[in-house]
Amino acid sequence: VGYFNLSIFGPADFGRGPYVLTKSDRMQGFTLGVNIPLWFYPQSTKVKAAELHTKIAQSDYNYNKDLFEGQFDESYTLYLKYQSSISFYKKSALINSKAIIKEAARAYEAKEIGYVDYLTVVSNALTIESNYLNVIHQNNMAVLKLQYLVSK
């Protein structure tokens, strides 16, 4: 839709003989038009490309969602495993380790075992305690990973 207002001056012929237009003679009017594209192919390919980009984005979303859920499930399973191990160490392994060290010290002082045997027994007991500390560390790492994944 449009509106026009023109000033034309100079000689003109409207079919009734020569005529001279002045600046005060004005021509006014409206225009109305409809735009029909002659080629639909470029527009349809743009639509197809947008649909393809949507499918790609959906595929990326599904992949990342599955990846996240897998990482979360793995971390949670590790966390539960380490909690179970910590419970085991607290309930029996650490108690037994301390008892082993105490009994080895008593046996060494009573000359029932030699120094090498004493060191071997104490070393094994300390390995149990070292493994307990390692499990605590792994548990803390699993908790940190879970917190990281939850914050995503």
Side-chain angles (χ1 to χ4, degrees), residues 44-59:
S44 67
T45 55
K46 287 180 185 177
V47 170
K48 287 179 184 177
E51 290 173 353
L52 185 62
H53 286 295
T54 302
K55 287 180 183 178
I56 291 171
Q58 185 66 40
S59 175

Side-chain angles (χ1 to χ4, degrees), residues 27 56 90 95 120:
M27 293 174 46
I56 291 171
K90 284 182 178 179
I95 295 170
T120 302

Side-chain angles (χ1 to χ4, degrees), residues 46-104:
K46 287 180 185 177
V47 170
K48 287 179 184 177
E51 290 173 353
L52 185 62
H53 286 295
T54 302
K55 287 180 183 178
I56 291 171
Q58 185 66 40
S59 175
D60 286 346
Y61 169 77
N62 291 337
Y63 170 76
N64 287 325
K65 181 181 170 214
D66 292 343
L67 182 66
F68 170 78
E69 288 174 353
Q71 287 177 344
F72 185 83
D73 290 343
E74 177 187 7
S75 295
Y76 187 68
T77 303
L78 283 175
Y79 168 75
L80 293 177
K81 174 185 147 189
Y82 293 134
Q83 285 296 309
S84 174
S85 295
I86 289 171
S87 177
F88 164 75
Y89 276 104
K90 284 182 178 179
K91 288 181 181 175
S92 67
L94 290 177
I95 295 170
N96 292 340
S97 172
K98 291 183 194 301
I100 290 170
I101 292 172
K102 188 183 288 185
E103 185 60 30

Side-chain angles (χ1 to χ4, degrees), residues 8-25:
I8 301 177
F9 62 96
D13 186 2
F14 293 115
R16 289 180 258 153
Y19 183 74
V20 177
L21 296 172
T22 64
K23 289 186 180 181
S24 63
D25 295 319

Side-chain angles (χ1 to χ4, degrees), residues 109-120:
E109 289 173 5
K111 305 281 186 214
E112 295 173 2
I113 61 173
Y115 186 70
V116 174
D117 293 332
Y118 170 73
L119 287 180
T120 302

Side-chain angles (χ1 to χ4, degrees), residues 135-152:
V135 167
I136 288 178
H137 172 71
Q138 294 299 325
N139 180 65
N140 290 342
M141 296 305 289
V143 168
L144 287 174
K145 187 170 184 180
L146 281 172
Q147 288 175 342
Y148 170 73
L149 291 172
V150 168
S151 70
K152 274 186 162 181

